Amino acid sequence: SKTTRSAPVSIPGGGWKSVTVTSSNGLGISGSTLKTWGKDAHGQLGLNNTAHKSSPQNVPGTWTGVAHGVNGGEDKSVAIRADGTMWAMGDGNNALGLGDSTKRSSPTQIGTGTTWKNLSTGVYDSGTNSLAIKTDGSLWAWGNNNHGQAGRNNKSSNSEPLQVGEDGDGWYECDAGPRFSAGVKQSFS
């Protein structure tokens, strides 16, 4: 509903494993179902249209993790399916990780990898950037890199995931911020 709430209200669906929201839309994993709701100006809800949804809607597939970003309005979502593949939807703007700037209103697989386990999308005034970690502990970055937030010792943006560092660097947590990124490596000492 459009009612302003000052106390928590349960989101329909139950069995929530994770949820992420922007100022006007949300995504979450309920059981193994990706659910999306809110404004959908760019197809970022992944429902093959741009119609706004006032309650959670199911996105086809079996899902494990989700993140999304906004840029002057809600523009993209990225999610990991149970098979370890990563999918994006929304306003391309060279930030979906698909190698182009085409808008997608339904989930489109990013590359052919099947070992994605964690992801984060950052937002700032001039674009979005994303980070993801594979099961081997390697860190990958794509999207805008105007401030060097991709961690590759340059300010070159890229429209597909590029590896940061080496295989097996031990990354297990990442957070793409507005003009910077942070991550946690596993200590083996």
Side-chain angles (χ1 to χ4, degrees):
S1 81
K2 294 183 179 181
T3 305
T4 301
R5 311 276 184 189
S6 61
V9 176
S10 179
I11 300 171
W16 295 99
K17 293 180 181 177
S18 66
V19 67
T20 184
V21 297
T22 71
S23 61
S24 60
N25 65 30
L27 292 91
I29 304 292
S30 175
S32 60
T33 302
L34 174 60
K35 294 183 178 276
T36 61
W37 64 95
K39 289 187 178 179
D40 193 19
H42 302 284
Q44 69 273 21
L45 297 185
L47 300 171
N48 205 27
N49 60 50
T50 55
H52 305 325
K53 304 296 181 193
S54 61
S55 62
Q57 306 292 309
N58 295 345
V59 177
T62 303
W63 303 86
T64 59
V66 62
H68 67 153
V70 295
N71 177 24
E74 304 61 43
D75 69 351
K76 82 171 187 177
S77 301
V78 183
I80 298 174
R81 283 195 172 164
D83 64 3
T85 57
M86 190 163 43
W87 299 72
M89 48 249 169
D91 193 4
N93 197 19
N94 290 316
L96 290 179
L98 300 168
D100 60 33
S101 58
T102 304
K103 187 182 288 191
R104 309 290 199 308
S105 63
S106 61
T108 303
Q109 186 171 351
I110 298 173
T112 59
T114 60
T115 59
W116 298 104
K117 72 172 187 172
N118 193 358
L119 61 99
S120 177
T121 297
V123 181
Y124 57 99
D125 55 353
S126 58
T128 60
N129 62 298
S130 297
L131 298 174
I133 299 173
K134 289 188 173 184
T135 55
D136 68 358
S138 60
L139 178 65
W140 298 72
W142 68 97
N144 291 338
N145 188 34
N146 304 6
H147 304 282
Q149 64 270 37
R152 291 189 312 274
N153 203 28
N154 64 45
K155 293 184 180 178
S156 298
S157 298
N158 55 293
S159 60
E160 296 177 295
L162 293 179
Q163 188 168 351
V164 179
E166 305 294 325
D167 284 343
D169 270 351
W171 295 100
Y172 71 92
E173 192 69 42
C174 60
D175 193 7
R179 289 186 170 90
F180 63 93
S181 297
V184 179
K185 282 186 173 183
Q186 189 171 3
S187 174
F188 295 104
S189 54

